């Protein structure tokens, strides 16, 4: 008996030792965050990218002077590489930034074995790159809108002479005051221009010697920044791996959730306080375009976070808006939020069929809009995870009014048919389909992607246009290919979305800015009256006058219908029980550095401990 008890005691002690050893090993293992993108990236150069997914990766590598606080609500900006918030003149035409000393780029062969400190000159150089015609920056309009003194003139000279862009030429609007201080001078006082300096995927700092070492094309593959991560591996359209930047400075977790935050999140944030950033050592991103594999990957524990639960699985994950009991029992967390975006289908205003400003062309676009059943789109392909859009402004941004109603969301098939009949879009040859007023066939061509969500959306478009008597064909390509074609003005129609990077509706009005054609303005809409209103609201401080001007511009967009703005999407994120501190800040692209992975819990959940 005693020997039996002794053996049992020894076995228990051994199992306890093994368990403690496994736990210790788990706690010492690298912290790896795994999740997925549903759309492929294009590259990682702030001057050359526009898509959300490339920008998310770039935001973890590069740093702008400012940033949005991760957990603060309402959303708040704070210094990042800057010593403090910039000095801004009363007329908003001068901004002065002072950069912190002792911030270093990640090591790279371009630096020839030397540590490379971030300086104010790096920000001046990085801003100038957006003006280089060779790079064709799709975000240039954000800078040209405020008129940085001398830069647009320099760009025009380069375009006319066809000579290389002169980065060494001084311009009045970008002044280097000392090693760590630079000043920006504008011709247009924009109270909200400061917001752009919180977007590190747009105005993050690059080192000139790195760009020149790799060249303008290869730099998309070799991002080198001062941020918390570096690019460790990239298999295009398949896998992206980021690792901790060994040169990243000492920054410590000090995030403050709002008083009404989830109690679990508040407790986790308190636990993380004082920990050195980034909390995760490695970020592994898989490109999984189909919804079912993304969903199943998360359920199998192969992903730590599932951003934006696919609409067809929302009822399983969060029935009636609450986390499903089986998922809650496992310790998972859910975060539901409206995204600051508009989902739309645009009409190419330079296309001979759907473009143009004459009454018959406007009538065609408005009739197509009236024939789109938004309620059915929300109910079927979007599974109730959206709200009908009344105009270009999204919830959570300045300019949005929840009580505002317009024709944008109206579904009225008889009215749509009557409008087409009035302007001569009738069946002239007896084949059952409407023709153009001149008798030629009326055929819409709508670009789309091969994923399941896109297929379901175009099914609704097919039914809507069949009911209207208008032929429509669909052209399928990968998202990056469609983006390239859209920027070049080669698509007749395309369904896409536009996301705000700051809590202001200006970014949505920019969709119609004539100067931003081929950039934010995919429709290539160019109406002088609209452009004037867009410029006017930019210079006004927030208040009733600006709100009124913004709404006047929105009414013109609705009347001319270059965009059929359909919905504002609602999303739910899920986090595994071993993920600590996860929340969604819609104006912060990279959350990774603020999230911890509890390897002990992960190991237990996956059955790796005895």
């Amino acid at each position: 008996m005693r020997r039996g008890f002794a053996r049992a005691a020894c076995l228990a002690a051994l199992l306890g030792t093994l368990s403690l050893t496994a736990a210790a090993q788990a706690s010492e293992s690298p912290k790896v965050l795994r999740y997925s993108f549903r759309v492929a990236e294009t590259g990682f150069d702030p001057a050359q990218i526009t898509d959300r997914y490339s920008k998310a990766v770039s935001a973890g590598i590069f740093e702008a002077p400012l940033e949005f606080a991760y957990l603060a609500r309402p959303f708040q900006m704070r210094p990042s590489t800057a010593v403090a918030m910039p000095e801004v003149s009363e007329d908003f035409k001068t901004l002065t930034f002072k950069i912190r000393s002792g911030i270093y780029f990640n090591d790279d062969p371009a630096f020839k074995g030397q540590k490379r400190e971030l300086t104010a000159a790096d920000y001046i150089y990085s801003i100038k790159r957006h003006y280089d015609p060779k790079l064709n920056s799709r975000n240039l309009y954000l800078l040209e809108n405020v008129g940085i003194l001398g830069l647009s003139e320099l760009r025009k000279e380069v375009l006319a002479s066809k000579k290389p862009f002169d980065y060494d030429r001084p311009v009045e609007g970008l002044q280097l005051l000392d090693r760590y201080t630079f000043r920006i001078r504008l011709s247009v006082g924009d109270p909200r221009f400061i917001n752009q300096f919180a977007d590190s995927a747009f105005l993050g700092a690059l080192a000139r010697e790195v760009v020149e070492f790799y060249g303008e094309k290869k730099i998309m593959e070799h991002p080198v920044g001062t941020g918390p991560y570096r690019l460790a591996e990239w298999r295009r359209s398949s896998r992206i791996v980021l690792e901790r930047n060994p040169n990243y400075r000492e920054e410590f977790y000090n995030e403050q959730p709002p008083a009404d935050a989830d109690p679990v999140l508040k407790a986790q944030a308190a636990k993380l306080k004082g920990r050195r950033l980034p909390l995760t050592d490695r970020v592994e991103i898989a490109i999984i375009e189909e919804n079912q594999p993304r969903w199943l990957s998360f359920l199998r524990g192969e992903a730590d976070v599932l951003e934006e639960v696919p609409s067809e699985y929302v009822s399983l994950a969060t029935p009636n808006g609450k986390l499903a009991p089986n998922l809650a029992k496992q310790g998972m967390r859910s975060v539901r939020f409206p995204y600051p975006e508009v989902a739309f289908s645009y009409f190419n205003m330079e296309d001979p069929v759907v473009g143009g400003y004459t009454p018959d062309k406007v009538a065609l676009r408005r009739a197509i809009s009236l024939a789109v059943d938004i309620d059915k789109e929300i109910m079927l392909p979007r599974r109730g995870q959206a709200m009908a859009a009344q105009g270009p402004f999204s919830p959570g941004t300045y300019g949005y009014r929840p009580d505002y109603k317009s024709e944008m969301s109206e579904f009225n098939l008889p009215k749509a048919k009557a409008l087409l009949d009035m302007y001569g879009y009738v069946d002239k040859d007896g084949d059952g389909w409407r023709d153009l007023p001149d008798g030629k066939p009326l055929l819409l061509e709508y670009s789309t992607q091969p994923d399941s969500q896109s297929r379901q959306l175009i099914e609704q478009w097919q039914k809507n246009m069949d009911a209207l008597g208008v032929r429509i064909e669909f052209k399928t390509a990968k998202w990056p290919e469609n983006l390239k074609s859209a920027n070049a003005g080669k698509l007749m129609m395309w369904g896409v979305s536009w996301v705000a990077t700051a809590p202001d509706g200006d970014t949505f009005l920019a969709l119609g800015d004539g100067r931003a054609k081929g950039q934010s303005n995919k429709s290539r809409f160019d109406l002088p009256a609209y452009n004037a209103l867009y410029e006017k609201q930019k210079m006004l401080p927030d208040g009733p006058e600006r709100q009124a001007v913004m709404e006047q511009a929105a009414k013109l967009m609705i009347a001319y219908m270059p965009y059929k703005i359909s919905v504002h999407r609602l999303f739910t994120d899920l986090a595994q029980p071993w993920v600590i501190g996860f929340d969604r800040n819609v104006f912060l692209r990279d959350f990774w550095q603020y999230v911890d992975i509890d390897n002990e819990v992960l190991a237990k959940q996956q059955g790796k401990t005895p």
Side-chain angles (χ1 to χ4, degrees):
M1 287 287 289
R2 289 180 180 175
R3 288 180 180 177
F5 283 126
R7 289 195 189 100
C10 287
L11 180 59
L14 177 60
L15 289 175
T17 301
L18 289 173
S19 181
L20 288 172
T21 302
Q25 289 175 344
S27 64
E28 294 173 2
S29 299
K31 305 290 185 75
V32 180
L33 177 70
R34 305 160 300 162
Y35 80 122
S36 62
F37 288 165
R38 56 185 177 174
V39 173
E41 75 298 331
T42 57
F44 312 113
D45 177 10
Q48 299 187 66
I49 58 176
T50 58
D51 64 285
R52 168 186 169 188
Y53 301 95
S54 299
K55 286 193 168 191
V57 174
S58 299
I61 296 171
F62 301 104
E63 290 185 292
L66 309 177
E67 65 183 7
F68 280 97
Y70 178 48
L71 296 182
R73 306 292 184 277
F75 300 103
Q76 297 176 9
M77 276 193 301
R78 65 187 181 193
S80 177
T81 62
V83 172
M85 296 298 288
E87 297 178 11
V88 181
S89 63
E90 289 187 6
D91 61 2
F92 302 104
K93 291 184 177 181
T94 304
L95 295 84
T96 304
F97 290 88
K98 187 172 184 62
I99 304 305
R100 294 157 60 183
S101 62
I103 296 176
Y104 293 91
F105 285 90
N106 181 49
D107 294 337
D108 189 83
F111 299 135
K112 300 178 181 179
Q114 302 296 314
K115 290 291 184 187
R116 172 61 158 80
E117 187 182 25
L118 174 71
T119 68
D122 295 316
Y123 283 109
I124 289 178
Y125 170 72
S126 299
I127 292 171
K128 284 183 174 180
R129 292 187 72 239
H130 288 278
Y131 286 81
D132 189 338
K134 183 169 56 177
L135 298 178
N136 196 23
S137 171
R138 302 297 180 180
N139 291 313
L140 175 61
Y141 72 97
L142 295 170
L143 302 173
E144 290 208 311
N145 282 344
V146 293
I148 299 179
L149 298 177
L151 272 180
S152 294
E153 292 77 9
L154 175 57
R155 176 180 167 83
K156 289 176 183 177
E157 288 181 24
V158 171
L159 286 168
S161 67
K162 297 183 179 180
K163 293 180 179 180
F165 190 88
D166 186 358
Y167 285 95
D168 295 315
R169 177 170 159 180
V171 293
E172 185 181 355
L174 290 176
Q175 300 174 356
L176 183 64
L177 303 185
D178 59 43
R179 180 175 176 82
Y180 302 109
T181 311
F182 68 99
R183 177 171 292 155
I184 301 176
R185 298 187 61 202
L186 314 173
S187 62
V188 177
D190 181 351
R192 290 155 296 278
F193 181 56
I194 188 176
N195 292 342
Q196 305 301 338
F197 291 91
D199 187 352
S200 54
F202 171 36
L203 295 180
L206 283 75
R208 181 172 180 174
E209 53 265 54
V210 173
V211 177
E212 294 177 348
F213 183 84
Y214 291 106
E216 299 297 351
K217 291 185 178 179
K218 289 290 185 181
I219 195 62
M220 287 280 273
E221 306 169 14
H222 296 279
V224 179
T226 61
Y229 296 97
R230 68 178 187 88
L231 182 64
E233 178 186 341
W234 182 29
R235 297 204 299 265
R236 190 180 293 270
S237 303
S238 175
R239 176 178 165 87
I240 304 166
V241 178
L242 302 174
E243 290 181 348
R244 179 190 294 270
N245 174 5
N247 290 345
Y248 190 60
R249 62 193 176 277
E250 287 192 349
E251 294 281 0
F252 300 94
Y253 188 98
N254 190 29
E255 303 305 310
Q256 305 294 331
D260 60 351
D262 173 12
V264 174
L265 177 63
K266 292 169 75 172
Q268 290 180 347
K271 181 180 177 181
L272 295 173
K273 191 174 181 65
R275 292 270 302 279
R276 185 170 178 177
L277 300 176
L279 299 177
T280 46
D281 301 298
R282 183 178 170 95
V283 182
E284 298 178 354
I285 305 169
I287 313 303
I288 306 177
E289 296 179 336
E290 290 292 341
N291 287 337
Q292 186 183 50
R294 287 181 64 235
W295 170 247
L296 294 177
S297 173
F298 179 78
L299 291 183
R300 289 193 297 263
E302 297 168 359
D304 305 307
V305 170
L306 178 60
E307 281 194 321
E308 300 167 9
V309 175
S311 56
E312 57 262 49
Y313 300 110
V314 167
S315 61
L316 297 176
T318 54
N320 300 316
K322 294 184 178 181
L323 186 63
N326 62 312
L327 302 183
K329 187 176 180 180
Q330 297 177 50
M332 294 183 185
R333 290 182 60 243
S334 65
V335 179
R336 193 166 190 261
F337 58 95
Y339 213 57
E341 64 151 19
V342 291
F344 56 77
S345 298
Y346 77 78
F347 301 93
N348 185 339
M349 294 294 286
E350 296 175 356
D351 182 86
V353 176
V354 299
Y357 300 83
T358 55
D360 58 316
K361 296 298 187 180
V362 174
L364 174 60
R365 294 191 297 272
R366 293 183 71 167
I368 292 171
S369 172
L370 286 166
V372 174
D373 190 340
I374 294 298
D375 288 342
K376 193 162 287 185
E377 176 182 323
I378 292 172
M379 180 176 63
L380 295 176
R382 300 197 184 277
R383 307 299 200 282
Q385 301 304 297
M387 55 188 290
Q390 302 296 334
F393 308 118
S394 78
T397 63
Y398 188 86
Y400 175 78
R401 272 180 42 203
D403 62 333
Y404 183 78
K405 302 294 181 184
S406 78
E407 184 187 290
M408 188 62 79
S409 66
E410 182 181 357
F411 171 56
N412 192 326
L413 190 58
K415 184 176 177 181
K417 289 180 176 180
L419 195 55
L420 291 182
D421 291 345
M422 182 185 301
Y423 283 90
Y425 293 94
V426 296
D427 179 10
K428 297 180 183 293
D429 56 12
D431 65 353
W433 297 103
R434 293 179 182 272
D435 298 299
L436 293 168
D438 63 4
K440 294 179 181 178
L442 170 58
L443 176 63
L444 304 181
E445 186 178 87
Y446 192 105
S447 295
T448 185
Q449 291 75 238
D451 62 277
S452 60
Q453 173 88 93
S454 296
R455 289 195 296 269
Q456 293 171 45
L457 287 168
I458 63 172
E459 284 176 11
Q460 290 303 308
W461 268 94
Q462 183 75 68
K463 292 176 181 178
N464 291 329
M465 293 304 101
D466 285 352
L468 187 60
V470 173
R471 280 174 294 196
I472 186 169
E473 293 181 352
F474 301 98
K475 183 179 178 182
T476 302
K478 293 283 189 178
W479 198 91
E481 296 170 24
N482 279 335
L483 177 62
K484 184 177 181 180
S485 298
N487 289 336
K490 295 180 179 179
L491 306 183
M492 179 190 288
M493 299 172 65
W494 185 30
V496 68
S497 66
W498 194 253
V499 182
T501 58
D504 190 80
D506 175 89
T507 189
F508 300 117
L509 291 181
L511 293 169
D513 179 17
R515 294 178 303 174
K517 288 189 288 186
Q519 299 173 48
S520 62
N521 186 354
K522 300 291 186 285
S523 75
R524 311 181 86 80
F525 181 58
D526 194 355
L527 185 71
Y530 181 93
N531 296 339
L533 290 170
Y534 176 69
E535 285 301 308
K536 184 177 180 180
Q537 65 84 28
K538 285 191 73 66
M539 294 183 285
L540 293 172
D542 291 347
E545 184 181 3
R546 184 180 183 231
Q547 180 74 33
V549 175
M550 294 175 80
E551 289 184 8
Q552 289 177 47
K555 287 177 181 177
L556 285 178
M557 183 180 286
I558 295 166
Y560 281 86
M561 200 63 69
Y563 296 89
K564 170 57 177 178
I565 301 174
S566 53
V567 299
H568 310 297
R569 292 183 291 177
L570 305 172
F571 288 111
T572 299
D573 292 347
L574 294 179
Q576 298 281 11
W578 51 83
V579 178
I580 301 173
F582 176 76
D583 195 35
R584 173 57 80 95
N585 183 327
V586 293
F587 300 115
L588 187 74
R589 300 183 190 279
D590 57 316
F591 63 89
W592 322 310
Q593 63 175 314
Y594 301 109
V595 171
D596 191 20
I597 301 296
D598 189 327
N599 282 336
E600 292 183 37
V601 174
L602 172 60
K604 290 177 182 177
Q605 290 273 351
Q606 297 185 343
K608 294 181 180 178
T609 57

